[in-house]
Amino acid sequence: MRLLSRKATCNTHGQDSSYFLGWQEYEKNPYDEIKNPTGIIQMGLAENQLSFDLLESWLAKNPDAAGFKKDGQSIFRELALFQDYHGLPEFKKALVEFMAEIRGNKVSFDQNKIVLTAGATSANETLMFCLAEPGEAFLLPTPYYPGFDRDLKWRTGVEIVPIQCTSSNGFQITAPALEEAFQEAQKRNLRVKGVLVTNPSNPLGTTMTGNELNLLLSFVTEKGIHLISDEIYSGTVFSSPGFVSILEVLKDRKCENSQVWNRVHIVYSLSKDLGLPGFRVGAIYSNDDMVVSAATKMSSFGLVSSQTQYLLSALLSDKKFTRNYISENQKRLKQRQKLLVKGLEKAGISCLKSNAGLFCWVNMKHLLSSNTFTEEMELWKKIVHEVKLNISPGSSCHCTEPGWFRVCFANMSKETLSLAIQRLKSFVESMKNQSHHQMLKSSRRKFLTKWVFRLSFDHDHREPEER
């Protein structure tokens, strides 16, 4: 008799991905400037630690919010007892206004159409439960966030079919790639229920173009399927082109009274834009009342605490603060990204041109001894164990081309990032020297071989001695 369920004993969580294995190696030997200066630097974690001082300054100036007080009176008991899974109305209002502000107020959101979840992980999984049955599929453009293999599939039984994107056009989605993925799903007898994209992209650090967004809307309209736009990095766009939400495209195309209006859903979170992953604040936004109703009921399994909602409703309602925070945070992200890109360039390593996110999509193809994923993994192991940097290999993101890596830059100090760049630069130089040394050895070997052959030839063909 089985004592444990299949779910408990199966190995489909994705924890054996190199994305997670790199974290495990880091945790065994974490870098610390004082205690462990030769440890592994964590560059595989997309955290935003650049603007904590702004948040801490606001907390210091607003002790009532942090102390769960209202007009000087404690509301701790009230918050401790509140358990309505619809969420605090004042927080939902503040959240949708913040989402609109990030999008330049070009679109607005209805607080009655938002469902609070314990982070974007919960939001994406909840949408899978709402939109698909086990064995049905969602199409995802590659490369994509490695955690989706866990978030979308593990408990729901939903399948992922990749939309194969390539470096030839900066990994943008094309009509042939969409159709090919759809046909592939049909070959596998999978019913396609929708497309899920991250915009801005994780791991590319790029915003989707207007052409891509319009292409996606036309595709899901034609096929009669859903579109999920994961927009958790929308506030991290630090240079042009700016961010365009799928909701903005829907409104521009006047889709309000069409069927596709109810089949487009947005996922959002405060984990990246505000740098608060530990607060577990995510959200689903949908125009479909049935999806909102079902997702709200499901949110009972992953609620956002009332204390968190109260604190953040006060913070997000401070418009002067949010305006300054968004602007300053984007400025800092731009400076930090520039530091990484310039540093890598000096090491002879290029990056995909990016304008958003907390990471760069880095091209190390020239460091591979052969153009294979086996060699990519060998290079990754050297970088983790010898260079002592944890970065994410492209294969963990289902990239179709070996040699790409996601490298995070916002979860560490400027000094630590500079050290990481120096370590990588030294590694590349040592590889060049090693390669040069091998070339010299090879040419010397060839020369010796020719010389020995020549001596042998001369000996065998010399004139006969006079007798």
Side-chain angles (χ1 to χ4, degrees):
M1 183 181 71
R2 281 179 182 269
L3 292 178
L4 297 176
S5 71
R6 285 190 179 88
K7 192 62 69 181
T9 55
C10 75
N11 192 31
T12 56
H13 178 273
Q15 203 70 32
D16 56 350
S17 161
S18 50
Y19 173 72
F20 293 110
L21 292 177
W23 286 19
Q24 291 173 22
E25 290 304 311
Y26 163 76
E27 284 162 5
K28 291 176 195 171
N29 183 26
Y31 168 81
D32 183 274
E33 186 180 359
I34 306 298
K35 297 176 184 175
N36 191 19
T38 60
I40 296 174
I41 296 173
Q42 174 63 289
M43 304 187 86
L45 184 58
E47 278 184 351
N48 182 6
Q49 297 184 23
L50 302 187
S51 299
F52 274 143
D53 60 314
L54 302 180
L55 297 167
E56 289 166 340
S57 175
W58 185 90
L59 288 170
K61 293 173 185 173
N62 294 272
D64 272 14
F68 307 122
K69 292 180 180 179
K70 197 172 188 177
D71 301 323
Q73 300 297 311
S74 174
I75 58 166
F76 176 77
R77 182 177 297 187
E78 179 187 330
L79 291 172
L81 294 174
F82 183 85
Q83 52 185 327
D84 184 348
Y85 55 43
H86 291 87
L88 288 172
E90 55 265 41
F91 174 60
K92 292 172 83 172
K93 179 177 183 293
L95 181 60
V96 295
E97 288 176 357
F98 182 67
M99 289 168 66
E101 189 174 3
I102 282 172
R103 291 157 179 77
N105 291 305
K106 293 173 184 174
V107 290
S108 59
F109 297 87
D110 182 347
Q111 70 185 76
N112 296 313
K113 295 180 178 181
I114 202 161
V115 180
L116 301 179
T117 63
T121 294
S122 176
N124 278 310
E125 186 189 53
T126 298
L127 275 175
M128 290 298 108
F129 276 123
C130 288
L131 306 180
E133 301 290 350
E136 294 181 333
F138 263 75
L139 311 180
L140 270 69
T142 61
Y144 64 76
Y145 165 55
F148 279 148
D149 292 319
R150 170 200 63 197
D151 302 352
L152 308 182
K153 294 171 58 175
W154 186 45
R155 298 198 300 182
T156 66
V158 172
E159 295 293 330
I160 292 174
V161 177
I163 302 164
Q164 306 290 8
C165 302
T166 67
S167 61
S168 60
N169 67 343
F171 296 97
Q172 289 183 24
I173 300 169
T174 63
L178 276 170
E179 191 57 44
E180 192 176 321
F182 192 86
Q183 296 300 329
E184 175 61 26
Q186 290 190 322
K187 281 182 197 169
R188 291 167 54 186
N189 294 317
L190 297 171
R191 184 183 176 196
V192 176
K193 294 305 290 289
V195 180
L196 186 149
V197 296
T198 55
N199 183 27
S201 168
N202 174 12
L204 300 178
T206 56
T207 47
M208 294 187 76
T209 64
N211 283 342
E212 286 177 285
L213 292 168
N214 277 294
L215 173 64
L216 282 167
L217 269 184
S218 297
F219 181 78
V220 299
T221 301
E222 177 201 336
K223 303 293 186 186
I225 58 178
H226 296 274
L227 174 59
I228 299 173
S229 181
D230 184 328
E231 300 182 354
I232 68 170
Y233 289 96
S234 51
T236 69
V237 182
F238 48 78
S239 60
S240 62
F243 173 70
V244 179
S245 171
I246 193 65
L247 191 60
E248 191 178 332
V249 181
L250 274 173
K251 292 198 171 181
D252 286 346
R253 289 173 58 149
K254 297 182 171 55
C255 295
E256 287 90 335
N257 298 316
S258 66
Q259 288 185 348
V260 76
W261 181 253
N262 283 355
R263 292 202 304 268
V264 174
H265 320 277
I266 292 172
V267 167
Y268 187 60
S269 161
L270 296 179
S271 297
K272 310 303 179 182
D273 292 350
L274 278 186
L276 301 175
F279 277 46
R280 306 311 305 147
V281 180
I284 294 166
Y285 189 84
S286 176
N287 290 309
D288 189 319
D289 293 337
M290 287 183 69
V291 169
V292 171
S293 175
T296 302
K297 292 167 192 167
M298 290 182 192
S299 71
S300 300
F301 300 101
L303 294 172
V304 182
S305 78
S306 304
Q307 292 87 343
T308 299
Q309 291 184 57
Y310 176 72
L311 171 62
L312 293 179
S313 65
L315 184 143
L316 295 179
S317 297
D318 185 339
K319 302 301 182 193
K320 184 179 178 184
F321 169 78
T322 54
R323 275 194 298 271
N324 177 64
Y325 178 90
I326 292 168
S327 172
E328 181 61 26
N329 183 55
Q330 290 170 346
K331 193 184 299 179
R332 294 179 185 188
L333 286 171
K334 184 175 184 176
Q335 290 169 347
R336 193 58 63 85
Q337 186 256 16
K338 187 177 179 182
L339 178 64
L340 175 61
V341 172
K342 293 289 182 189
L344 291 177
E345 279 178 359
K346 286 179 181 175
I349 298 171
S350 64
C351 303
L352 182 74
K353 188 177 180 183
S354 61
N355 64 322
L358 312 174
F359 33 73
C360 286
W361 190 235
V362 179
N363 186 354
M364 298 195 200
K365 287 182 180 182
H366 62 295
L367 300 180
L368 303 180
S369 56
S370 64
N371 190 36
T372 65
F373 286 110
T374 301
E375 282 304 313
E376 178 183 279
M377 290 307 295
E378 288 303 311
L379 177 61
W380 174 72
K381 286 173 187 173
K382 284 180 183 176
I383 291 171
V384 172
H385 296 292
E386 297 175 23
V387 190
K388 303 290 181 65
L389 303 178
N390 176 38
I391 62 178
S392 304
S395 52
S396 71
C397 303
H398 299 271
C399 184
T400 58
E401 304 170 18
W404 291 92
F405 294 82
R406 191 190 75 164
V407 180
C408 299
F409 57 76
N411 62 323
M412 66 195 78
S413 68
K414 185 177 178 181
E415 292 72 25
T416 303
L417 181 60
S418 296
L419 173 62
I421 293 168
Q422 186 53 51
R423 284 185 184 182
L424 200 52
K425 191 176 177 206
S426 298
F427 172 67
V428 174
E429 285 170 357
S430 72
M431 283 191 75
K432 281 181 184 174
N433 290 336
Q434 191 177 5
S435 176
H436 182 63
H437 181 65
Q438 285 174 342
M439 282 175 66
L440 283 175
K441 273 181 77 175
S442 176
S443 61
R444 194 178 294 123
R445 197 180 296 118
K446 285 177 184 175
F447 174 77
L448 285 170
T449 302
K450 284 181 181 177
W451 185 68
V452 169
F453 175 78
R454 186 67 199 168
L455 280 176
S456 172
F457 180 85
D458 289 347
H459 181 270
D460 292 342
H461 290 79
R462 66 181 184 271
E463 292 292 324
E465 291 181 356
E466 290 184 7
R467 298 192 183 271

